[in-house]
Amino acid sequence: MEPIQRKSLAQEVADAIKEKIQKGLFPVDAKLPTEPELMKSFSVGRSTIREATRYLAQSGFVQVKQGIGSFVISTSGNHGLDDKIEKAGFAAIFEVRQLIEMQIIEKAVNNRTQRHLAAMRKHLKERAIFATAGDLAACIKADIAFHTTVAESCGNSILTELYKTLSTHVSRSFSESYTDTQPFIYSQKEHEMLLKHIEGGNKTKALDSAKKIIGHL
């Protein structure tokens, strides 16, 4: 007999908030109550609320905007999409990710902030360090973090969430497909050029760099 999996308190809170979202009590585009309000409503601590919010964000129900709050972006989450992606082959996943990424880069050139650029630099530096050291898992994580930050900088929350969902599967495929960090070493220079062109606001050159990166992969 399979052991019964008990839900954590944070999962129970996340499910309760999800139910309110699905019933329309927290409609799409609405901001969730503040952490203190949710703590009082569910009689739990701050860490539980933060973990519950993280579950909701990962499930595609809310988007967390640092310093602003959490906003409802879907009444159904991304489970249906996850199932379809899970059944698709890597080639199909990668093709969709490429198409989305080109749109993201176009928008990122105009909408990125200094905070986004600083995060991109940090992840790209880590990518280079881990690639040189031959640490594949850490290198993949830094690569995904870099591209995810580019997605977050585009200013379109739906594109960002779609990209994050696809990237989870791409990360797994990278782990299964690559045996070393050589592909990441080869494409490091183009990633640096991509960042340079995003920072410089040059859409044409940024898209050219993105195409070269895709060619490396």
Side-chain angles (χ1 to χ4, degrees), residues 111-121 149 152-154:
N111 297 322
R112 84 289 181 278
T113 65
Q114 290 303 314
R115 179 177 62 81
H116 291 129
L117 291 170
M120 289 179 213
R121 288 188 207 100
T149 304
E152 289 171 346
S153 77
C154 81

Side-chain angles (χ1 to χ4, degrees), residues 10 35 45-55:
E35 284 185 354
R46 189 178 300 274
S47 61
T48 299
I49 294 300
R50 288 185 175 176
E51 190 175 352
T53 303
R54 191 157 53 245
Y55 284 136

Side-chain angles (χ1 to χ4, degrees), residues 99-116:
L99 292 171
I100 291 175
E101 189 155 29
M102 299 306 278
Q103 283 288 342
I104 282 170
I105 288 169
E106 263 195 78
K107 291 179 175 297
V109 166
N110 295 321
N111 297 322
R112 84 289 181 278
T113 65
Q114 290 303 314
R115 179 177 62 81
H116 291 129

Side-chain angles (χ1 to χ4, degrees), residues 158-177:
I158 296 175
L159 274 178
T160 301
E161 292 307 315
L162 277 172
Y163 191 82
K164 286 180 178 178
T165 300
L166 288 166
S167 289
T168 299
H169 298 271
V170 170
S171 176
R172 189 181 311 144
S173 296
F174 280 169
S175 298
E176 294 171 354
S177 303

